[in-house]
Amino acid sequence: MRHLMSPLDFSVEELDQLLDLASDIEKHPEKYAHACDGKKLATLFYEPSTRTRLSFEAAMMNLGGNIFGFSSAESSSAAKGESVSDTIRMISCYADICAMRHPKEGAPMVASAVSSIPVINAGDGGHQHPTQTLTDLLTIRSLKGRLDNLTIGLCGDLKFGRTVHSLVRALARYKNITFIFISPEELKIPSYIKEDVLEAQGIPYQESERIEDVMPDLDILYMTRVQQERFFNEADYIRLKDFYILNNKKMKLAKEDMIVMHPLPRVNEISVEVDKDPRAAYFRQVQYGVYVRMALILTLLEVNLC
Ligand code: NCD
């Protein structure tokens, strides 16, 4: 039985197969409409989420399966003091697979150690968000036609943003990727990612505080929200939250075929005027998220359609 804790749990070849399956689902959804008849997905969300939880639920429903779960710690037995390990032992008796989001780094890993059903990490604190990464990889592969030979700018809260931490690890495995990290001093990418992931493998990266300086070089601009809930000090959040606002003026500096991605939710970091630019890919990214989660559920449940 397999779980998904980090995007690196899949080899590059396995990821290719998963993304191929997601693309086939996009083209022939009817083929998969009953692939999970009678199966149940539990969504265990100890932290708020709209997109990820509903994306998992839509994915399972598109496969003909059923869903149940909770959407906040307050509405689960965690409020009575139940441990994650006990909850997952109990859920294992009800469901065939589960997706867990938790504010504490490593909680889904603790659950996977005692679970008798596949556990998917749907975001653990500031650590990792592997299914967002699968979504991002499918979006990049579908819209740019490749996962190598790319210059990607990651902009915003690179310190706390788990989507960035997961995506950098995943893209670092492809050839000729250059990372440009765009952030204020206080929200720089953690040094363990620079040292252990990039420098250790000789992968080039630059750091910049100004988006305008690097815009013309980018194939992809990955914008992120400043992660308010992970700040200790409200004044710091208020000072940093509007540090970057992508608008049409800045988009003029970019290549004609650059794409703008964002894991969403957006706060102020992308002005709504950019939504009409054909290079804005963030809502298409949401749709790719459903296809890739369908592919993931099929893969972890080992459902093979002949
Ligand atoms: C992201 C997350 O939860 O980390 N959202 C998502 O799952 N699409 C990004 C964010 O909350 O900023």
Side-chain angles (χ1 to χ4, degrees):
M1 190 185 53
R2 287 186 83 160
H3 307 286
L4 179 69
M5 294 298 124
S6 147
L8 304 194
D9 293 352
F10 287 119
S11 66
V12 172
E13 293 71 34
E14 286 173 326
L15 267 182
D16 276 348
Q17 283 170 18
L18 188 95
L19 300 181
D20 287 346
L21 177 58
S23 296
D24 194 60
I25 291 170
E26 178 185 6
K27 285 193 210 93
H28 308 288
E30 67 294 340
K31 235 167 86 182
Y32 300 89
H34 295 286
C36 284
D37 277 359
K39 302 261 192 249
K40 294 193 263 323
L41 164 81
T43 49
L44 315 178
F45 277 61
Y46 294 83
E47 199 186 60
S49 160
T50 316
R51 220 157 338 274
T52 306
R53 184 170 56 83
L54 298 186
S55 176
F56 268 111
E57 295 184 356
M60 191 52 154
M61 288 159 89
N62 290 345
L63 294 167
N66 295 303
I67 53 156
F68 64 90
F70 53 83
S71 55
S72 70
E74 296 73 47
S75 63
S76 79
S77 285
K80 297 185 191 165
E82 186 173 57
S83 69
V84 161
S85 304
D86 281 4
T87 303
I88 194 73
R89 281 195 182 95
M90 184 262 307
I91 295 289
S92 295
C93 304
Y94 302 155
D96 300 285
I97 186 165
C98 81
M100 178 183 285
R101 169 168 290 192
H102 204 286
K104 289 219 174 82
E105 287 80 2
M109 178 77 93
V110 169
S112 69
V114 295
S115 175
S116 54
I117 58 172
V119 178
I120 301 168
N121 177 4
D124 60 330
H127 186 218
Q128 298 240 33
H129 193 344
T131 62
Q132 182 63 47
T133 298
L134 299 180
T135 303
D136 299 340
L137 295 179
L138 180 63
T139 306
I140 296 171
R141 203 182 75 158
S142 303
L143 300 182
K144 301 297 295 177
R146 61 185 192 279
L147 286 170
D148 49 13
N149 299 311
L150 291 165
T151 298
I152 175 163
L154 298 120
C155 176
D157 186 347
L158 309 185
K159 179 179 180 188
F160 296 114
R162 56 193 172 196
T163 62
V164 169
H165 303 164
S166 284
L167 183 58
V168 171
R169 287 170 191 277
L171 279 176
R173 298 197 293 182
Y174 294 89
K175 289 202 184 67
N176 198 17
I177 301 287
T178 300
F179 293 98
I180 303 186
F181 298 116
I182 309 153
S183 71
E185 186 60 33
E186 294 93 326
L187 298 179
K188 278 171 107 172
I189 190 96
S191 51
Y192 72 86
I193 294 195
K194 286 190 278 190
E195 287 156 20
D196 303 350
V197 181
L198 302 177
E199 288 161 21
Q201 300 180 74
I203 297 168
Y205 68 87
Q206 290 172 41
E207 293 185 279
S208 170
E209 210 175 79
R210 272 174 48 88
I211 202 168
E212 293 86 339
D213 294 348
V214 296
M215 200 72 161
D217 300 329
L218 305 179
D219 298 309
I220 300 166
L221 174 60
Y222 192 96
M223 295 295 294
T224 62
R225 159 183 85 88
V226 176
Q227 305 277 302
Q228 178 176 15
E229 65 278 33
R230 312 220 190 276
F231 274 74
F232 293 113
N233 179 340
E234 178 73 8
D236 286 344
Y237 169 70
I238 291 172
R239 188 166 48 82
L240 293 168
K241 73 181 172 64
D242 294 329
F243 204 90
Y244 298 107
I245 300 181
L246 182 67
N247 55 20
N248 283 343
K249 188 162 164 242
K250 292 186 187 122
M251 286 296 286
K252 287 210 176 79
L253 303 169
K255 290 182 188 167
E256 287 208 344
D257 64 349
M258 186 193 79
I259 56 168
V260 184
M261 297 173 62
H262 192 306
L264 303 179
R266 149 177 66 183
V267 186
N268 277 334
E269 58 282 352
I270 303 180
S271 161
V272 288
E273 67 184 19
V274 178
D275 297 0
K276 291 200 203 78
D277 190 306
R279 294 169 291 183
Y282 29 93
F283 292 114
R284 282 174 280 168
Q285 203 177 339
V286 175
Q287 182 65 65
Y288 287 121
V290 179
Y291 300 136
V292 95
R293 289 187 175 93
M294 290 170 73
L296 178 66
I297 292 169
L298 291 174
T299 303
L300 295 181
L301 287 179
E302 298 178 9
V303 176
N304 284 312
L305 298 180
C306 303

